[in-house]
Amino acid sequence: MRQCSGERCRFRFPAPAGTTEGHVCPRCQSPTAFVTAPFSGRPPETASPAGPHVEALLDNIRSIFNVGAMFRTADGAGIRRLHLAGITATPDHPKVAKTALGAERAVAWSEHPNGLDAATALRERGYRLWALESTARSTNLFDTRPAAEGAPILLIAGNELAGVDPQILALCQRTVHLPMEGVKGSLNVAIAFGVAAYYLRYSDR
């Protein structure tokens, strides 16, 4: 962390160690100095999750930054593969790395021009299809208990505006939603995906 030397400013912000980036305060142009040592190390190791094998279908995710965030979540939660369909950007797009921060190189992925075709093929291979979508028939995610044994779960997240493709929804064995207590009916798709991914992987602990 750097801190501005100006007594009236004292702006405090992160900056890379070993570079001159941030040596001048971006607010008042006074000199800055490092006031903490750089972070090092990793958080304590946690026990392996007891949940099922989970993969995810990201169908027509329009925001490249959401895609990057979902790669990072997939890496953290242990999602085995991301199936990227329609307009969903792949790691070949340079902006994916801005939010994935290297996770795009650690998580297996495949590209599909048609999300419905991909979902159909995976269901035929025995995957359990779970859509993350709020519908008249969806159930609260936290009222479910996914069995760790059995076929992999394919968690499906859809477009930020249109939601999950209705024809894909028709293929799903389960449709789940997150409870919403505020005025909004849904969360950002990357945040909702993160909640669902960790719940599926760790809820049996």
Side-chain angles (χ1 to χ4, degrees):
M1 299 294 292
R2 280 188 174 271
Q3 185 168 301
C4 175
S5 62
E7 284 301 316
R8 292 187 178 183
C9 180
R10 293 177 56 80
F11 188 57
R12 189 179 178 100
F13 60 97
T19 72
T20 58
E21 184 177 339
H23 70 287
V24 172
C25 176
R27 297 184 65 179
C28 75
Q29 307 304 307
S30 296
T32 69
F34 282 113
V35 290
T36 63
F39 173 80
S40 62
R42 294 172 57 92
E45 293 295 327
T46 58
S48 298
H53 173 129
V54 179
E55 298 183 17
L57 172 63
L58 309 185
D59 186 41
N60 287 302
I61 305 299
R62 67 175 187 158
S63 166
I64 292 171
F65 300 120
N66 280 340
V67 175
M70 293 159 100
F71 263 94
R72 192 169 179 186
T73 294
D75 177 56
I79 303 300
R80 303 289 185 88
R81 175 177 289 272
L82 294 180
H83 302 267
L84 311 176
I87 65 171
T88 305
T90 72
D92 297 328
H93 195 296
K95 289 187 178 179
V96 169
K98 187 169 184 178
T99 43
L101 297 177
E104 77 281 6
R105 298 189 298 272
V107 178
W109 61 274
S110 53
E111 185 178 11
H112 309 270
N114 186 306
L116 177 60
D117 289 348
T120 300
L122 289 165
R123 175 164 173 154
E124 289 174 352
R125 287 170 53 188
Y127 282 65
R128 296 175 278 173
L129 272 57
W130 286 39
L132 182 58
E133 185 66 272
S134 181
T135 72
R137 297 185 177 181
S138 60
T139 57
N140 186 326
L141 173 67
F142 303 111
D143 290 337
T144 65
R145 285 293 182 270
E149 299 79 18
I153 290 176
L154 182 71
L155 177 63
I156 300 168
N159 180 265
E160 291 91 328
L161 298 178
V164 176
D165 184 326
Q167 288 187 272
I168 294 178
L169 280 176
L171 292 176
C172 293
Q173 291 94 337
R174 285 197 181 183
T175 302
V176 294
H177 64 261
L178 302 181
M180 301 292 295
E181 296 190 17
V183 297
K184 299 298 292 181
S186 64
L187 296 175
N188 167 274
V189 67
I191 294 173
F193 173 78
V195 173
Y198 269 90
Y199 180 77
L200 291 177
R201 293 287 290 138
Y202 283 87
S203 62
D204 280 352
R205 288 204 58 76

